[in-house]
Amino acid sequence: MTLIEDLGIKEPGPAAGVALHDYISNRSVALLLKTGPKEIYIGSGVCIRIAHRYLVATAEHNLKGLQLSDIVVIGRGERFGQPLSILRMGPAGSSDPDVSWLEIDPNGSRPSRLKFVGLDQIVSLPALEDRQPCFLQGYPAAEVQNPSDDRPLVESSGLLTLSINSDRRRSPPKPGIDIAVEYPPHDGSLERSGLPLPQGISGGGLWLVPRFEDHAIWSADK
């Protein structure tokens, strides 16, 4: 935080939010899913490395009924860059939980800023308290430019929001599987901000936000 003060940034919160969004966006991808001759569905995914294998985790319903030739995986703002080369895909075993994966060719072309998180950065949402700060990230379909093109321009979007504890939910959660977050936040602060509909964010990551009080030296990778 001393560095932020030395740079003349008076409000570290917004600066940290920008840094966090940038960090997360570099570890995520957009999925262009060809569901028809002239139809492209937008989905999101998180880049994960397990040993020497590079994967994109996403929602299984994004890939349902598709072949590899129907799927284009790109980083943010990479309309003209080479898409990632997909080796294979597979479900988690069923639609419950709604999770699937794409394996990326480690020798294929990748944007230089694209990164992959390791297993040490993946955890279950701790049920310690209600309204834990979370960052929801993905590629909303409503913000896609030139949606009729074969390669529309997609941009990463993020929202700092809060988790919803089980006793505030209308339907009973499935322990260890379900996660709920506020979209938009309950305080009404974003009701007039033009927050996009969540379609397209499906499959994107939910990231716990490192608190300033827990880290003497704040870093997005915490």
Side-chain angles (χ1 to χ4, degrees), residues 122-145:
I122 302 173
V123 297
S124 297
L125 184 68
L128 300 177
E129 59 184 47
D130 195 12
R131 297 191 174 121
Q132 296 185 81
C134 305
F135 201 94
L136 180 66
Q137 185 274 340
Y139 296 83
E143 295 190 346
V144 171
Q145 297 183 27

Side-chain angles (χ1 to χ4, degrees), residues 31-36 41 65-72 86:
L31 308 181
L32 308 183
L33 310 169
K34 299 177 182 178
T35 56
Y41 176 85
L66 299 181
Q67 305 297 320
L68 288 184
S69 58
D70 300 322
I71 305 169
V72 176
I86 309 171

Side-chain angles (χ1 to χ4, degrees), residues 96-152:
D96 187 11
D98 180 20
V99 177
S100 191
W101 51 265
L102 299 163
E103 184 170 359
I104 303 302
D105 184 355
N107 299 315
S109 174
R110 297 201 303 267
S112 59
R113 63 184 175 186
L114 185 67
K115 309 296 181 184
F116 289 74
V117 300
L119 291 178
D120 59 336
Q121 288 184 282
I122 302 173
V123 297
S124 297
L125 184 68
L128 300 177
E129 59 184 47
D130 195 12
R131 297 191 174 121
Q132 296 185 81
C134 305
F135 201 94
L136 180 66
Q137 185 274 340
Y139 296 83
E143 295 190 346
V144 171
Q145 297 183 27
N146 304 312
S148 60
D149 291 356
D150 289 338
R151 286 282 299 277

Side-chain angles (χ1 to χ4, degrees), residues 2-169:
T2 302
L3 175 60
I4 291 178
E5 293 171 357
D6 289 344
L7 292 174
I9 299 174
K10 304 299 183 182
E11 296 292 337
V18 171
L20 188 61
H21 187 200
D22 192 59
Y23 178 91
I24 293 171
S25 298
N26 288 341
R27 288 155 179 80
S28 69
V29 289
L31 308 181
L32 308 183
L33 310 169
K34 299 177 182 178
T35 56
K38 294 185 179 181
E39 296 178 346
I40 295 179
Y41 176 85
I42 306 297
S44 302
V46 179
C47 300
I48 299 173
R49 179 179 56 81
I50 301 178
H52 301 294
R53 301 179 72 177
Y54 293 83
L55 308 171
V56 171
T58 187
E60 185 175 2
H61 70 258
N62 282 340
L63 308 182
K64 187 175 181 179
L66 299 181
Q67 305 297 320
L68 288 184
S69 58
D70 300 322
I71 305 169
V72 176
V73 181
I74 57 176
R76 57 167 176 162
E78 290 290 330
R79 182 183 180 189
F80 301 108
Q82 287 293 321
L84 277 67
S85 177
I86 309 171
L87 294 176
R88 59 185 65 86
M89 69 184 207
S94 70
S95 58
D96 187 11
D98 180 20
V99 177
S100 191
W101 51 265
L102 299 163
E103 184 170 359
I104 303 302
D105 184 355
N107 299 315
S109 174
R110 297 201 303 267
S112 59
R113 63 184 175 186
L114 185 67
K115 309 296 181 184
F116 289 74
V117 300
L119 291 178
D120 59 336
Q121 288 184 282
I122 302 173
V123 297
S124 297
L125 184 68
L128 300 177
E129 59 184 47
D130 195 12
R131 297 191 174 121
Q132 296 185 81
C134 305
F135 201 94
L136 180 66
Q137 185 274 340
Y139 296 83
E143 295 190 346
V144 171
Q145 297 183 27
N146 304 312
S148 60
D149 291 356
D150 289 338
R151 286 282 299 277
L153 178 62
V154 293
E155 283 293 344
S156 171
S157 182
L159 173 68
L160 182 61
T161 185
L162 298 167
S163 65
I164 302 174
N165 207 21
S166 58
D167 58 4
R168 291 199 296 126
R169 297 177 57 179

